Amino acid sequence: MSASDQQRLSLRVRLAYPGFTLDVDKDIQLAGVTGLFGPSGGGKSTLLRIIAGLERRAAGQVNFGDEVWQSDTSFMPSYRRPVGYVFQDTRLFPHLTVQGNLQFALARRANDLGVAFDEAVSSMDLQPLLHRHVDALSGGERQRVAIARTLLTNPRLLLLDEPMAALDVGRKREILPYIEALQKRFGIPAIYVSHAVNEMARLADNVIVLEGGRITAFGPAADILNREDMQLSASPFDAVTVMEVRVVEHMRALHLTRVDHQGQFITVPMMAGTTEGETARLLVRAGDVVIATEEPRGLSVRNMLIGNLLSISPLQNSAFATVSVDVGGAVIKAQLTHQAVTELGLVTGSRVIALIKAASFDRNL
Amino acid sequence: MSINAMPDLGPLWLSLTLAGVTSLILLFLGTPLAWWLSGTSSRFKPAIEAVTALPLVLPPTVLGFYFLIALGPASPIGSFWVRITGEALTFSFSGLVIASVFYSLPFMVQPLQNAFESVGRAPLEAAATLRAGPIDSFFSVAAPLARRGFITGTVLSFAHTIGEFGVVLMVGGNIPGKTRVISIAIYEHVETLNYEAAHILSAGLIVFSFIVLLFVYGSRRWNPIYVR
C-alpha cells in the first residue's frame, strides 16, 4: 500500500433532510489543502460532518485509505476517526482555560508521537494566552486555540469548516497566515470549507464544488475558480481571475516578490509565508486589469502580460464588457467599457497587453 | 421557655438523614434519566416526562395511598422485601426512602434535564472529535457545563424531601426514630397543643428552607458558564 493510497478518501454517501438531499459519490485523492466550495446551503458542512462521523443518519460508505469509517453494516464513531475538526464557532470548552482545552486533546490521543504541545502552542502563538479563560479571547484568538487543540489530536485528516466565516475582516487578516502555514508546518491533508473565492484561491490546491447536495466539479483550484459559472459572487461585475504563479524571488528591501506567470514575470507585494520556487495563487479583480494594444510609456503600472484576446462578453444593460485574454495558456479577465473595446479596435485574436497594478494583488481578504 | 417545651431533635435528624439518602439516590437515578431525556427523540419521551412530573400535580395522599399498597407485605415488592430483610417496607425508614425518591424525582430530573439541554450537542460533538468517548464526554464536558443543574437539583430534592408530609404519613406513619420526621413531629405537637415545640420546629424549618433557597438563587452568581 503506497502513501498516496492512504490519502484517498472514498465517499459514497446520502443524507436526506426535508427539502434537501446530499448525494455524493466520489473518490478524492487528498493532497495538500482540498477546498470544499459552493453556495451556502449546498451541503458543504453536512458533507464534512459525515466525514467526521457526526451525522449518524447518513447512509453509505466512507473509506479513508484502506480504513472503513462507515459502511452499510458498520459505523466508526467520531471519537475513533483520526480526523481533526475545526468548527466555525470554535466550540472551545468554557469551563476550561486555554491550556485546559489544549490538554483535553493531548490527554486523549492515541500516542505521544506527532504534534508536540509546545509545537502546537508556538505555531498558533498561544504562549501568552495559555492561562486565559476562553471567554476572555477575541474571535481570532479563539479560532487559533481551536486549531491548536485539533492539531494536538494528531489528526491524519484536518477538516476546517469555514473557520473564518464568523470573523470580521481584521480578524480574518490576523488568522489567515496561521491557517496558510498549517499545511507547510504539519503537512496534514486538509479539507477546507468556504464559500469565498478569495479564501479558496489563497488556501486550496484543489477544489471540490458542491451545489445542491451534489459534487459538480473537482480539479486544480485555478482551473475551477476561473470558470465563470463557479464565481459565486452575486454579479458578473465582481469577476476575478485566479493566477497560478511560481515564486521567483523575494525582494525584501522593496517589500516585493517577483513571480513567474506562464513564463512572464510580474512583481507583487511581498508574499510572506511563501518560499522561492513554490507555486502560489494570486487573485485579481477584472475591474483592476487594464488592456493596452501597445506598450505604454510613462505609466506607473509595472506588470505587463502579453497575450491574445480570447473573447469579449458584453455585460447586459451596462457600459461594460468582460474581456478574456489568453496569456501563455492561462486566462486573465479584464473589465472594459464597450467604448474602449470599440476605440481600441479589439477583436478576438488581437495581440494585447494586460496591465495590472501591483496594488491590485491584494492577498489580504 | 420551660425545659419540657424543648422538642426532641430526633425527628430533625431523621428528616436530614432521609433527605440526604434520598438526594444521593436521586443523583444516581435522576442523572441518567435526565441525560437520556435531554438527548432522545424517542416517542416514549413525553410519557416518561409526564410520569416524572406526576408528583408535582398529585396530592401526596394519592401517591402515599398507592405506595402503601405497592410496598405493603401483601404486594410482590413488599413480600419480596420481607423475604430478604425480614422487615416490612411500610412503616419503615426504607419504605420512606423509596416513596421520597419518587416524590422528589421531578425536583432532580427537571433542573438536570434543562441544564443538559442548554449545554446542547455542540460541545459534545467537539469532545467526540477530540477523541472523547460518550462516557468520557459526559464526565469531562457535559457534567461540568451542567453543574448548576446538579447543584439546583440536589438542593431542591433535599429541601423538598425535608418538607414532605402526606406521603410520609401515609407510608411511614409516626414511629419515633424510624419514620417520625420533622413535619410529622410538628403535626403531632400541634395536635397535642404543644405550640411552643411546634413553633421551634416550624420556625426552624422556615429559616432552613429560606437559607437553602437563598443558596440556590445566589449560586447563579458564581462562575457563570456561558453556553453558546
Coordinates of all heavy atoms in Angstrom, one line a residue, chain A residues 284-333:
Chain A
V284 N -6.9 38.5 -8.8 CA -7.0 39.9 -9.3 C -8.4 40.1 -9.9 O -9.0 39.2 -10.6 CB -5.9 40.2 -10.3 CG1 -6.0 39.3 -11.6 CG2 -5.9 41.7 -10.7
R285 N -9.0 41.2 -9.5 CA -10.4 41.6 -10.0 C -10.3 42.0 -11.4 O -9.4 42.8 -11.8 CB -11.0 42.6 -9.1 CG -11.6 42.1 -7.8 CD -12.0 43.2 -6.9 NE -10.8 43.8 -6.2 CZ -10.3 43.3 -5.1 NH1 -10.8 42.3 -4.5 NH2 -9.2 43.9 -4.6
A286 N -11.3 41.6 -12.2 CA -11.3 42.0 -13.6 C -11.3 43.5 -13.7 O -10.7 44.1 -14.7 CB -12.6 41.4 -14.3
G287 N -11.9 44.2 -12.8 CA -12.0 45.7 -12.8 C -10.7 46.3 -12.6 O -10.5 47.5 -12.8
D288 N -9.7 45.6 -12.1 CA -8.4 46.1 -11.8 C -7.4 45.9 -13.0 O -6.2 46.2 -12.9 CB -7.8 45.5 -10.5 CG -8.5 46.0 -9.3 OD1 -9.1 47.1 -9.4 OD2 -8.4 45.4 -8.3
V289 N -7.9 45.2 -14.0 CA -7.0 44.9 -15.2 C -7.2 45.9 -16.3 O -8.3 46.2 -16.7 CB -7.2 43.5 -15.6 CG1 -6.3 43.1 -16.8 CG2 -6.9 42.5 -14.5
V290 N -6.1 46.5 -16.8 CA -6.2 47.5 -17.9 C -5.7 46.8 -19.1 O -4.7 46.0 -19.1 CB -5.3 48.7 -17.5 CG1 -5.2 49.6 -18.7 CG2 -5.8 49.4 -16.3
I291 N -6.3 47.1 -20.3 CA -5.9 46.5 -21.5 C -5.3 47.5 -22.4 O -5.8 48.6 -22.6 CB -7.1 45.8 -22.3 CG1 -7.6 44.6 -21.5 CG2 -6.7 45.3 -23.7 CD1 -6.7 43.4 -21.3
A292 N -4.1 47.2 -23.0 CA -3.4 48.2 -23.9 C -3.1 47.4 -25.2 O -2.9 46.2 -25.2 CB -2.1 48.7 -23.3
T293 N -3.1 48.1 -26.3 CA -2.8 47.4 -27.6 C -1.3 47.6 -27.9 O -0.7 46.9 -28.8 CB -3.6 48.0 -28.8 OG1 -3.5 49.4 -28.7 CG2 -5.0 47.5 -28.6
E294 N -0.6 48.6 -27.3 CA 0.8 48.7 -27.4 C 1.4 49.0 -26.1 O 0.7 49.5 -25.2 CB 1.2 49.7 -28.5 CG 0.6 51.0 -28.3 CD 0.6 51.9 -29.5 OE1 -0.1 51.7 -30.5 OE2 1.5 52.8 -29.5
E295 N 2.8 48.8 -26.0 CA 3.4 49.0 -24.7 C 3.3 50.5 -24.3 O 3.8 51.4 -25.0 CB 4.9 48.6 -24.8 CG 5.5 48.1 -23.5 CD 6.8 47.4 -23.7 OE1 6.8 46.4 -24.4 OE2 7.8 47.8 -23.1
P296 N 2.7 50.8 -23.2 CA 2.6 52.2 -22.8 C 3.9 52.7 -22.2 O 4.8 51.9 -21.8 CB 1.5 52.1 -21.7 CG 1.6 50.7 -21.1 CD 2.2 49.9 -22.2
R297 N 4.1 54.0 -22.2 CA 5.2 54.6 -21.6 C 4.8 55.6 -20.6 O 3.7 56.2 -20.7 CB 6.1 55.3 -22.7 CG 6.6 54.2 -23.7 CD 7.9 54.6 -24.2 NE 7.8 55.3 -25.5 CZ 8.8 55.9 -26.1 NH1 10.0 56.0 -25.5 NH2 8.6 56.5 -27.2
G298 N 5.7 55.9 -19.7 CA 5.4 56.9 -18.6 C 4.2 56.5 -17.8 O 3.4 57.3 -17.4
L299 N 4.1 55.2 -17.5 CA 3.0 54.7 -16.7 C 3.5 54.1 -15.4 O 4.6 53.4 -15.5 CB 2.2 53.7 -17.5 CG 0.8 53.5 -17.2 CD1 -0.1 54.7 -17.4 CD2 0.2 52.3 -18.1
S300 N 2.8 54.2 -14.3 CA 3.3 53.7 -13.1 C 3.1 52.1 -13.0 O 3.8 51.5 -12.3 CB 2.6 54.3 -11.9 OG 1.3 53.9 -11.9
V301 N 2.2 51.6 -13.9 CA 2.0 50.2 -13.8 C 3.2 49.4 -14.3 O 3.7 49.7 -15.4 CB 0.7 49.8 -14.6 CG1 0.4 48.4 -14.5 CG2 -0.5 50.7 -14.2
R302 N 3.7 48.5 -13.5 CA 4.9 47.8 -13.9 C 4.6 46.4 -14.5 O 5.4 45.9 -15.2 CB 5.8 47.5 -12.6 CG 6.1 48.8 -11.8 CD 7.6 49.1 -12.0 NE 7.9 49.7 -13.3 CZ 7.6 51.0 -13.6 NH1 6.9 51.8 -12.8 NH2 7.9 51.4 -14.8
N303 N 3.4 45.9 -14.2 CA 3.2 44.5 -14.6 C 2.5 44.5 -15.9 O 1.4 45.0 -16.1 CB 2.3 43.8 -13.6 CG 3.1 43.6 -12.3 OD1 4.3 43.2 -12.3 ND2 2.5 43.8 -11.2
M304 N 3.2 43.9 -16.9 CA 2.6 43.8 -18.2 C 2.6 42.3 -18.7 O 3.7 41.7 -18.7 CB 3.4 44.6 -19.2 CG 3.5 46.1 -18.8 SD 4.3 47.0 -20.1 CE 4.4 48.6 -19.2
L305 N 1.5 41.8 -19.1 CA 1.4 40.4 -19.5 C 0.9 40.5 -21.0 O -0.1 41.0 -21.2 CB 0.5 39.6 -18.6 CG 1.0 39.4 -17.2 CD1 -0.1 38.8 -16.3 CD2 2.2 38.5 -17.2
I306 N 1.7 39.9 -21.9 CA 1.4 39.9 -23.3 C 0.6 38.7 -23.6 O 0.9 37.6 -23.2 CB 2.6 40.0 -24.2 CG1 3.4 41.3 -23.8 CG2 2.3 39.9 -25.6 CD1 4.8 41.3 -24.3
G307 N -0.5 38.9 -24.3 CA -1.4 37.7 -24.7 C -2.3 38.0 -25.9 O -2.1 39.1 -26.5
N308 N -3.2 37.1 -26.1 CA -4.1 37.2 -27.2 C -5.5 37.3 -26.7 O -5.9 36.6 -25.8 CB -4.0 36.1 -28.2 CG -2.6 36.0 -28.9 OD1 -2.2 37.0 -29.4 ND2 -2.0 34.9 -28.7
L309 N -6.3 38.2 -27.3 CA -7.6 38.4 -26.9 C -8.5 37.1 -27.3 O -8.5 36.7 -28.4 CB -8.2 39.6 -27.5 CG -9.4 40.3 -26.7 CD1 -9.4 41.7 -27.0 CD2 -10.7 39.6 -27.1
L310 N -9.1 36.6 -26.2 CA -9.8 35.3 -26.4 C -11.3 35.5 -26.7 O -11.9 34.9 -27.6 CB -9.6 34.5 -25.1 CG -9.6 33.0 -25.2 CD1 -8.6 32.5 -26.2 CD2 -9.3 32.4 -23.8
S311 N -11.9 36.4 -25.9 CA -13.3 36.6 -26.1 C -13.7 37.9 -25.5 O -13.1 38.5 -24.6 CB -14.1 35.5 -25.5 OG -14.0 35.5 -24.1
I312 N -14.8 38.5 -26.0 CA -15.4 39.7 -25.4 C -16.9 39.4 -25.1 O -17.7 39.0 -26.0 CB -15.4 40.8 -26.5 CG1 -13.9 41.1 -26.9 CG2 -16.0 42.1 -25.9 CD1 -13.8 42.0 -28.1
S313 N -17.2 39.4 -23.8 CA -18.6 39.1 -23.5 C -19.2 40.4 -22.8 O -18.8 40.8 -21.8 CB -18.8 38.0 -22.5 OG -17.5 37.4 -22.2
P314 N -20.2 41.0 -23.6 CA -20.8 42.2 -23.0 C -21.6 41.9 -21.8 O -22.2 40.8 -21.7 CB -21.8 42.7 -24.1 CG -21.4 41.8 -25.3 CD -20.8 40.6 -24.8
L315 N -21.6 42.8 -20.8 CA -22.4 42.6 -19.6 C -23.8 43.3 -19.9 O -23.8 44.5 -20.3 CB -21.8 43.2 -18.4 CG -20.4 42.5 -18.0 CD1 -19.8 43.3 -16.9 CD2 -20.7 41.1 -17.6
Q316 N -24.8 42.6 -19.7 CA -26.2 43.1 -20.1 C -26.5 44.4 -19.5 O -26.2 44.6 -18.3 CB -27.2 42.1 -19.6 CG -27.2 40.7 -20.3 CD -27.8 40.9 -21.7 OE1 -28.8 41.5 -21.9 NE2 -27.1 40.3 -22.7
N317 N -27.1 45.3 -20.3 CA -27.5 46.6 -19.8 C -26.5 47.4 -19.0 O -26.8 47.9 -17.9 CB -28.8 46.4 -18.9 CG -29.9 45.8 -19.6 OD1 -30.1 46.1 -20.8 ND2 -30.6 44.9 -19.0
S318 N -25.3 47.4 -19.5 CA -24.3 48.1 -18.8 C -23.3 48.7 -19.7 O -23.3 48.4 -20.9 CB -23.6 47.3 -17.8 OG -22.5 46.6 -18.4
A319 N -22.4 49.5 -19.2 CA -21.3 50.1 -20.1 C -20.2 49.2 -20.3 O -19.3 49.5 -21.1 CB -20.8 51.4 -19.3
F320 N -20.3 48.0 -19.7 CA -19.1 47.2 -19.6 C -19.1 45.9 -20.4 O -20.2 45.3 -20.7 CB -18.7 46.8 -18.2 CG -18.4 48.0 -17.4 CD1 -19.3 48.6 -16.6 CD2 -17.1 48.6 -17.5 CE1 -19.0 49.7 -15.8 CE2 -16.8 49.7 -16.7 CZ -17.8 50.3 -15.9
A321 N -17.9 45.4 -20.8 CA -17.8 44.0 -21.3 C -16.7 43.3 -20.6 O -15.7 44.0 -20.1 CB -17.5 44.1 -22.8
T322 N -16.8 42.0 -20.4 CA -15.7 41.3 -19.8 C -14.8 40.7 -20.9 O -15.3 40.0 -21.8 CB -16.2 40.1 -18.9 OG1 -17.0 40.7 -17.9 CG2 -15.0 39.4 -18.3
V323 N -13.5 41.1 -20.9 CA -12.6 40.7 -22.0 C -11.7 39.6 -21.4 O -11.1 39.8 -20.4 CB -11.8 41.9 -22.5 CG1 -10.7 41.5 -23.4 CG2 -12.7 42.9 -23.1
S324 N -11.6 38.5 -22.1 CA -10.7 37.4 -21.6 C -9.5 37.4 -22.5 O -9.5 37.4 -23.7 CB -11.4 36.0 -21.7 OG -12.5 36.0 -20.9
V325 N -8.3 37.4 -21.8 CA -7.0 37.4 -22.6 C -6.3 36.1 -22.3 O -6.2 35.7 -21.1 CB -6.2 38.6 -22.1 CG1 -4.9 38.6 -22.9 CG2 -6.9 39.9 -22.3
D326 N -5.8 35.4 -23.3 CA -5.0 34.2 -23.2 C -3.6 34.6 -23.0 O -3.0 35.1 -23.9 CB -5.2 33.3 -24.4 CG -4.4 32.1 -24.4 OD1 -3.5 32.0 -23.5 OD2 -4.5 31.2 -25.2
V327 N -3.0 34.3 -21.8 CA -1.6 34.6 -21.5 C -0.9 33.3 -21.3 O -1.0 32.7 -20.3 CB -1.5 35.6 -20.3 CG1 0.0 35.8 -20.0 CG2 -2.2 36.9 -20.5
G328 N -0.3 32.9 -22.4 CA 0.5 31.6 -22.3 C -0.3 30.4 -21.8 O 0.2 29.6 -21.1
G329 N -1.6 30.4 -22.2 CA -2.4 29.3 -21.8 C -3.3 29.6 -20.6 O -4.3 28.9 -20.4
A330 N -3.0 30.6 -19.8 CA -3.9 30.9 -18.7 C -4.7 32.1 -19.1 O -4.3 32.9 -20.0 CB -3.0 31.3 -17.5
V331 N -5.9 32.2 -18.6 CA -6.8 33.3 -19.0 C -6.9 34.4 -17.9 O -6.9 34.1 -16.7 CB -8.2 32.7 -19.2 CG1 -9.2 33.8 -19.5 CG2 -8.2 31.7 -20.4
I332 N -6.8 35.6 -18.4 CA -6.9 36.7 -17.4 C -8.1 37.5 -17.9 O -8.3 37.8 -19.1 CB -5.7 37.6 -17.4 CG1 -4.6 36.8 -16.7 CG2 -5.9 38.9 -16.7 CD1 -3.2 37.5 -16.7
K333 N -9.0 37.9 -17.0 CA -10.2 38.6 -17.3 C -10.0 40.1 -17.0 O -9.4 40.5 -16.0 CB -11.4 38.1 -16.5 CG -11.9 36.7 -17.0 CD -13.2 36.4 -16.4 CE -13.1 35.7 -15.1 NZ -12.6 34.3 -15.1

